[in-house]
Amino acid sequence: MIKIGMMIGDRYEILEKIGTGGMSDVYKAKDHKLNRFVAVKVLKQEFSENANFVSKFRVEAQAAAGLMHPNIVNVYDVGEEGGIYYIVMELVEGITLKKYIEKKARLSVKEAISIAIQVSMGIEAAHNNHIIHRDIKPQNIIISKEGKVKVTDFGIAKAATSNTITSNVMGSVHYTSPEQARGGYSDEKSDIYSLGITMFEMLTGRVPFNGETTVAIAIKHIQEELPSPREYVPEIPVSVEQIVCKCCQKSPDRRYQSMAELIVDLKQSLINPDEDFVKVIDPDEEASTRMITDKDMAQIKRQSDKRDSMEEAMRLKKDNGRAYVEEDEDEEEDDWESDEEDEDYDPKMERITTILAVVAALLIGCIVIFLIGKTFGIFGFGSSTVDQEETEDAEQVEMIRVVGMDVDEAKAALLELGLTPEIQYEVNSAYDAGTVLRASVQEGLMVDIGTNIILTVAESEEGITVPGVTGKSQTEAVSILENAGFVVNVTQSYDSTVESGYVISQSPEENTTAPEGSSITIRVSQGTEENKVRVPDVIGLTEMDAVANLTESGLTVGTVTQVTNEDASLTDLVCYQSYSVGSYVDKGTAIDLRVSTGPSQVTYRYSEGITAPTEDSDYQSGMSVTVTVTTEDGTQLLSTQTSSFPVAVNYTGIKSATGVITYTFTVETEETTTTDPDTGETVTTPGTSTEKTVTREISFTQE
């Protein structure tokens, strides 16, 4: 734990806290070795406990320390002391670009472009050293009192994204590129996108995409087109608008391919702001198929003629020479020569020949395919029964064994096969509650996809009556069942007789009994079969990956909530989705997600008075003692110096059950003088100073 006045690395004295972020706190400190003020960024405790994160953090910070540029906040040192991981950086007295924009509402075009050029130059220096920032935003850009623009926080973003840090912690979802929002690979062009969003905010005073949740904003980065900055500020020059739009293209291939290209256009916009000089690259258009023209055909033929053999070339050369010699004698030869220059090419005849050749090839191909098909029985003529059987096979699946399985596992397995499970309960004390006793379809039989499979499940005691919800709307049905104490699973199917959004059937059925808290599956109509979307499986994915999967499937994301989940492997991953995997829903349907924060964790408190270290007989009341309290996992709760005991402490939320109190104090002896009785010689013994350490194990109280 960082305290004001403490010394880090035997050289950096912490003076005051000057900032805080999602991952770290920043302090002003004095470097006593070089006698200068520096900024010390200290990694927060929750990230310090992740060894993988710390390793990547250290490697990236060390790489950033090699960057030296006027537009980069330079990194001087990287270190660790007592579980505290820190980076020592250049101290820049000034204001962040974010606060500067808020202060001025929006910047003038010239000022915004000037800042963008300086930022680009700093990022370019990093890219040239193969370092990608990945978190460009106004909060990470500082304007010094002298007007110098500097980019900070190099190296931290990569370590964070490699450890599935959420966008709330990163604090940069407003500026993230589409490929980062999808959780995909990001490179230098991701920094260009983020800089484009930053320029948009400088020019307009607002970010282009906003929403109630980080997920909603991320989806907009993936799906929605960037609004023109001129919609908000009409006086923005056309070249500046085009630069921002090119930076913020969804496809990285359509953006500027390097910071150097961007800097050239930014400087040009300062000189000729109203000129249309920005080139927008469309790789799809450049790679598209084009119809060949007559001119292209003539050029191809000329190039083909040039590739003739040397013998043919020499023969033509000889014939051409003879033609020129006999030019005065034979006018026809002169005409032939002229025709030779025109390549003797008739485009119309060439097209007719090509068409006839294609038609002939198609006819021959059809005849060959027909003969082969007839030989092997592929086409008709008595093979209709085989075709029908193959079609039926393609629409059927083999029933699996579910007897003895847990009902939830059996349901998931059946849904994955495309079958619809229906549940009915039977009191049976011989089996654990929730065990499948039997199924309506025998194992190994082939059944049609979509078939209802009735599972009879063991119930240890009489349950509660299941209310009937058939014919009710989905919302009303879910409300009724949840109020009755059940968990609701929703499946979808087409039904031309039941209005879309209303319940076709339920399992268990109405007026049967089921244990309180058990699952009730309702089958909801999608109406007549239309263009529907199949719900993908996003359980076990990161929030960003789940958003990308759902978005690409044509669905939207509803509410995303953080919950505890006893499955430790799902920590920081999606552990619940509101629609069953494989069910069909309308395009644009909102899928609610729950992200696991991990198993519920036991925490402890330590609230008592710390007594003096009387275990050591050399300790005397009034001595100055340094007292530290450290938990078993290395977290330091207290570090103080006192001469008065007991020391009152009150800590909560401790993650370890035990810890250690360490006392450090100095024992001094006074100088003594003795006289030798035989010789009368006087001997002086100097005083001593001995540092003593006492440790005491302690236990914390569970909260």
Side-chain angles (χ1 to χ4, degrees), residues 302-318:
R302 279 196 295 272
Q303 292 176 350
S304 177
D305 288 342
K306 290 178 183 178
R307 289 192 296 267
D308 286 341
S309 68
M310 182 62 70
E311 182 181 349
E312 180 68 6
M314 293 301 292
R315 185 187 63 78
L316 289 176
K317 183 176 181 182
K318 182 177 180 181

Side-chain angles (χ1 to χ4, degrees), residues 196-197 199-201 203-209 224-246 248-250:
I197 301 294
M199 284 192 283
F200 187 102
E201 186 175 2
L203 293 164
T204 65
R206 51 165 291 160
V207 290
F209 302 121
E224 295 187 9
E225 288 300 318
L226 184 86
S228 169
R230 299 181 75 183
E231 291 180 14
Y232 306 101
V233 184
E235 58 266 27
I236 293 175
V238 63
S239 66
V240 177
E241 176 195 32
Q242 290 174 342
I243 289 172
V244 173
C245 291
K246 184 173 180 179
C248 299
Q249 290 290 313
K250 302 297 182 191

Side-chain angles (χ1 to χ4, degrees), residues 567-598:
D567 187 348
S569 66
L570 289 176
T571 302
D572 294 327
L573 304 176
V574 175
C575 61
Y576 167 86
Q577 60 187 77
S578 58
Y579 282 85
S580 301
V581 176
S583 60
Y584 287 89
V585 297
D586 292 324
K587 281 189 176 181
T589 298
I591 310 296
D592 296 335
L593 303 176
R594 294 176 189 167
V595 178
S596 171
T597 57

Side-chain angles (χ1 to χ4, degrees), residues 289-341:
T289 303
R290 295 183 298 167
M291 293 297 292
I292 190 166
T293 64
D294 294 342
K295 184 177 179 181
D296 293 333
M297 183 63 80
Q299 178 66 22
I300 291 170
K301 187 174 181 182
R302 279 196 295 272
Q303 292 176 350
S304 177
D305 288 342
K306 290 178 183 178
R307 289 192 296 267
D308 286 341
S309 68
M310 182 62 70
E311 182 181 349
E312 180 68 6
M314 293 301 292
R315 185 187 63 78
L316 289 176
K317 183 176 181 182
K318 182 177 180 181
D319 290 345
N320 288 343
R322 187 183 301 115
Y324 279 107
V325 170
E326 297 175 355
E327 181 178 355
D328 294 335
E329 299 177 2
D330 192 346
E331 190 171 347
E332 281 189 15
E333 287 295 320
D334 186 78
D335 292 338
W336 176 85
E337 237 180 79
S338 177
D339 291 341
E340 176 73 7
E341 289 181 0

Side-chain angles (χ1 to χ4, degrees), residues 83-300:
I84 298 172
Y85 298 89
Y86 62 89
I87 299 176
V88 182
M89 306 181 298
E90 172 188 4
L91 179 65
V92 181
E93 299 284 356
I95 185 174
T96 66
L97 178 57
K98 185 71 173 179
K99 291 183 179 179
Y100 188 63
I101 295 172
E102 291 172 352
K103 184 178 179 181
K104 298 191 68 173
R106 64 181 177 87
L107 310 186
S108 67
V109 173
K110 285 190 176 181
E111 188 174 24
I113 297 303
S114 176
I115 291 173
I117 290 173
Q118 293 188 64
V119 172
S120 299
M121 292 172 71
I123 299 173
E124 181 188 25
H127 288 180
N128 290 340
N129 284 274
H130 310 292
I131 295 177
I132 304 167
H133 194 290
R134 288 180 174 84
D135 197 22
I136 294 295
K137 56 185 177 181
Q139 295 91 327
N140 285 337
I141 298 170
I142 302 176
I143 303 174
S144 70
K145 292 180 179 178
E146 296 78 25
K148 196 71 175 176
V149 179
K150 290 179 176 283
V151 184
T152 188
D153 265 6
F154 273 96
I156 296 176
K158 181 175 181 180
T161 54
S162 299
N163 286 271
T164 61
I165 303 301
T166 66
S167 53
N168 285 330
V169 175
M170 292 300 293
S172 55
V173 70
H174 288 99
Y175 310 92
T176 192
S177 65
E179 58 269 25
Q180 287 174 295
R182 290 190 184 96
Y185 173 78
S186 57
D187 58 9
E188 289 86 349
K189 292 183 279 293
S190 300
D191 285 349
I192 292 175
Y193 182 95
S194 299
L195 179 56
I197 301 294
T198 301
M199 284 192 283
F200 187 102
E201 186 175 2
M202 285 194 287
L203 293 164
T204 65
R206 51 165 291 160
V207 290
F209 302 121
N210 220 329
E212 294 182 359
T213 64
T214 56
V215 173
I217 299 169
I219 292 173
K220 290 183 178 181
H221 279 289
I222 297 171
Q223 288 185 329
E224 295 187 9
E225 288 300 318
L226 184 86
S228 169
R230 299 181 75 183
E231 291 180 14
Y232 306 101
V233 184
E235 58 266 27
I236 293 175
V238 63
S239 66
V240 177
E241 176 195 32
Q242 290 174 342
I243 289 172
V244 173
C245 291
K246 184 173 180 179
C247 286
C248 299
Q249 290 290 313
K250 302 297 182 191
S251 170
D253 293 335
R254 299 186 182 186
R255 299 174 202 154
Y256 288 98
Q257 298 303 292
S258 68
M259 280 294 172
E261 290 182 17
L262 174 57
I263 292 170
V264 169
D265 277 4
L266 286 172
K267 290 180 177 180
Q268 180 70 8
S269 69
L270 284 177
I271 303 170
N272 302 305
D274 296 314
E275 283 191 11
D276 183 11
F277 58 82
V278 178
K279 296 180 181 178
V280 179
I281 301 172
D282 189 345
D284 295 336
E285 184 176 309
E286 288 188 350
S288 61
T289 303
R290 295 183 298 167
M291 293 297 292
I292 190 166
T293 64
D294 294 342
K295 184 177 179 181
D296 293 333
M297 183 63 80
Q299 178 66 22
I300 291 170

Side-chain angles (χ1 to χ4, degrees), residues 1-15:
M1 183 178 294
I2 294 292
K3 298 287 186 181
I4 303 301
M6 73 181 295
M7 192 77 73
I8 295 180
D10 294 328
R11 64 185 289 186
Y12 306 112
E13 180 186 0
I14 304 298
L15 301 178

